[in-house]
C-alpha cells in the first residue's frame, strides 16, 4: 500500500517489495510473547526493521502505510520509552494514535478492563498496545475480545514478569546490526555468545530475549545471584509455555547458568544487563547496592574479562552506578543503550505494520 503514495528514494522500491512479502508471510493476529515466533518470523522482523530504519525520516515525513488506522496505547504501568516509541512509530506510519491513562479514566468509576478496551474498539481502534503489571493480562484481553467478536489486534507492551516482545525484538535488531550492519539477519546472530546479567527473576525483558536469542541460534549465558536468578532458569526454553503445544523452532541455541561474572564474560560477544526491579521485590533480595555493583555491575575494567571489546545493552531505565558504571553507560563506543532506544522506533513500525496493514491496502 506504500507504492501509490511514495515517490522518492532508492529505499522505496526495496521497502515496498519487502513489506508486501512480509505481510503475506505473517500469521500472527496478536503479538503476546515470542515463544510462538518461528525463525522466519524473526527474519521477517529483522528485515522489515532494517528497511524502516533506512528511511530518511527527517521533518514531517510520514509513510502512508497505516493511513486511516487507529493505534491505542493502554498502559496500566509507567513507561518512558515503550509508550512514546510506539506512538511515534504509529505516527510515522500515518496512523491515528490515542492513549489511555488509567488514573483519569472511567476505570476509577468501576468500568472493567474488557469494557474499557471495547470502548476503544468501538471508536475504530485496529491495534491495542497493552502494558499491565500482571502477567497474562494482554493475552486474556485478546481472548475475551475475540470471544465478543472484536476484530482488534493486541500487542503486549510488557506484562508483569512474563513478556515484553517489542523490547526483545529491538534488542535482537540492535545486536544483529552491531554484528553485521549491512545484513542484520539471522546469520549475524548464529553462534554468538550473549551474557545476560542481573535481575532475571523479575525481568520480562530477559524472558522474551531468551526465546528470541536462542531461536536465532545465539548461545546465552545467564549470570546473577541465586536470589535474582533461581537455579533451573537454564531450562527456560526447553519446553513451550502452557497453551502452546509445539516449539516452532527446531533447534535453539544453548542456555547456561554461571554465577561468577568474570567467568560468564569469558569469550562473550555482547553483554545485556538488567535493572534491579526494586518495585517488584517483596523482600530484601540483595544485601546492598554497593555489594551488588561489585559482584554483578559492569564497568570498563570488568569487561576486560571478555578478552575483546564487546557491546553492552540495557533496556532502561538504568540505575546508574548499580547495573553499570556511569562512565560505561556514557561511552558510546561500548554502550548501545541509546542505539536501543533509536532502534525501538523502526522495530515498532515493523510490528504495527505487520499487525495493522492489510494485503489489499
Ligand atoms: C523494561 C520494562 O518495563 O519491562 N523497560 C522498558 O520497557 N524499556 C525494563 C525495566 O523496567 O527495567
Amino acid at each position: 500500500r506504500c507504492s501509490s503514495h511514495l515517490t522518492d528514494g532508492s529505499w522505496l522500491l526495496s521497502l515496498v517489495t519487502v513489506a508486501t512479502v512480509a505481510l503475506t508471510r505473517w500469521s500472527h493476529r496478536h503479538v503476546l510473547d515470542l515463544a510462538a515466533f518461528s525463525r522466519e518470523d524473526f527474519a521477517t522482523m529483522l528485515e522489515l526493521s532494517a528497511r524502516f530504519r533506512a528511511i530518511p525520516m527527517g521533518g514531517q515525513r510520514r509513510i502512508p502505510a497505516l493511513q486511516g488506522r487507529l493505534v491505542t496505547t493502554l498502559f496500566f504501568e509507567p513507561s518512558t520509552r515503550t509508550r512514546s516509541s510506539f506512538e511515534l512509530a504509529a505516527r510515522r506510519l500515518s496512523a491515528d494514535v490515542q492513549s489511555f491513562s488509567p488514573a483519569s479514566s472511567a476505570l476509577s468509576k468501576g468500568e472493567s478492563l474488557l469494557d474499557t478496551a471495547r470502548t476503544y474498539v468501538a471508536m475504530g481502534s485496529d491495534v491495542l498496545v497493552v502494558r499491565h503489571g500482571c502477567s497474562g493480562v494482554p493475552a486474556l484481553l485478546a481472548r475475551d475480545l475475540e470471544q465478543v467478536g472484536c476484530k482488534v489486534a493486541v500487542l503486549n507492551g510488557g506484562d508483569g514478569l512474563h513478556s515484553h516482545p517489542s523490547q526483545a525484538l529491538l534488542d535482537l535488531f540492535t545486536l544483529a546490526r552491531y554484528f553485521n550492519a549491512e545484513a542484520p539477519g539471522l546469520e549475524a546472530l548464529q553462534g554468538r555468545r550473549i551474557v545476560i546479567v542481573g535481575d532475571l527473576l523479575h525481568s520480562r525483558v530477559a524472558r522474551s530475549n531468551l526465546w528470541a536469542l536462542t531461536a536465532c541460534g545465539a548461545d546465552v549465558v545467564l549470570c546473577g545471584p541465586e536470589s535474582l536468578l533461581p537455579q533451573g532458569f537454564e531450562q527456560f526454553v526447553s519446553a513451550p509455555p502452557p497453551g502452546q503445544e509445539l516449539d516452532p523452532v527446531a533447534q535453539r541455541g544453548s542456555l547456561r547458568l554461571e554465577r561468577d561474572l568474570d567467568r560468564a564474560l569469558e569469550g562473550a560477544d555482547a553483554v545485556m544487563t538488567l535493572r534491579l526491579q526494586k518495585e517488584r521485590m517483596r523482600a530484601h533480595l540483595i544485601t546492598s547496592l554497593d555489594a551488588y555493583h561489585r559482584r554483578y555491575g559492569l564497568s570498563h575494567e570488568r569487561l576486560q574479562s571478555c578478552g575483546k571489546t564487546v557491546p553492552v545493552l540495557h533496556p532502561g531505565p538504568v540505575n546508574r552506578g548499580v547495573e553499570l558504571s556511569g562512565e560505561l553507560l556514557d561511552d558510546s563506543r561500548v554502550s548501545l543503550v541509546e542505539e536501543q532506544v533509536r532502534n525501538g522506533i523502526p522495530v515498532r513500525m515493523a510490528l504495527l505494520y505487520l499487525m495493522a496493514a492489510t494485503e489489499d491496502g
Side-chain angles (χ1 to χ4, degrees), residues 29-55:
R29 173 163 172 190
H30 310 291
V31 172
L32 301 168
D33 63 56
L34 298 180
F37 271 36
S38 65
R39 283 175 60 83
E40 291 68 34
D41 292 329
F42 287 109
T44 300
M45 273 303 307
L46 291 171
E47 183 163 24
L48 202 50
S49 304
R51 301 297 165 165
F52 280 129
R53 195 182 191 277
I55 300 174

Side-chain angles (χ1 to χ4, degrees), residues 26 28 30-39 41-42 45 155-156 159 162-172 204-216 236-237 241 244 246-249 252 347 351:
W26 195 249
H28 303 280
H30 310 291
V31 172
L32 301 168
D33 63 56
L34 298 180
F37 271 36
S38 65
R39 283 175 60 83
D41 292 329
F42 287 109
M45 273 303 307
L155 211 173
N156 184 355
D159 63 329
H162 169 233
S163 159
H164 192 346
S166 65
Q167 179 68 42
L169 289 168
L170 77 87
D171 293 342
L172 197 72
R204 55 195 178 205
V205 174
R207 286 177 176 79
S208 282
N209 261 303
L210 294 184
W211 290 110
L213 289 168
T214 57
C216 298
F236 188 74
V237 293
Q244 186 180 312
L246 287 176
D247 187 342
V249 177
R252 292 186 175 272
V347 167
L351 272 173

Side-chain angles (χ1 to χ4, degrees), residues 30 100 219 256 265 268 353:
H30 310 291
F100 156 88
D219 294 316
R256 175 165 76 78
L265 292 176
Y353 175 80

Side-chain angles (χ1 to χ4, degrees), residues 72-86:
T72 307
T73 54
L74 291 140
F75 274 49
F76 296 89
E77 253 195 6
S79 164
T80 303
R81 281 148 267 260
T82 307
R83 180 182 192 146
S84 330
S85 169
F86 265 117

Side-chain angles (χ1 to χ4, degrees), residues 209-268:
N209 261 303
L210 294 184
W211 290 110
L213 289 168
T214 57
C216 298
D219 294 316
V220 181
V221 182
L222 309 174
C223 185
E226 179 81 43
S227 58
L228 300 178
L229 172 58
Q231 205 71 35
F233 231 88
E234 70 269 46
Q235 310 296 320
F236 188 74
V237 293
S238 61
Q244 186 180 312
E245 271 163 36
L246 287 176
D247 187 342
V249 177
Q251 192 168 5
R252 292 186 175 272
S254 64
L255 267 191
R256 175 165 76 78
L257 199 148
E258 174 57 69
R259 299 262 174 233
D260 181 80
L261 182 55
D262 291 313
R263 273 209 296 274
L265 292 176
E266 279 167 27

Side-chain angles (χ1 to χ4, degrees), residues 2 18 24 28 55 78 86 106 114 117 119-120 127 139 145 182 187-188 194 206 208-209 244 248 259 321 333 354 359:
C2 307
V18 169
T24 56
H28 303 280
I55 300 174
F86 265 117
L114 179 61
T119 304
Y120 288 105
V127 183
L145 285 165
E182 300 303 311
E187 303 71 36
I194 314 294
S208 282
N209 261 303
Q244 186 180 312
R259 299 262 174 233
R333 291 165 308 162
L354 289 167
E359 282 161 49

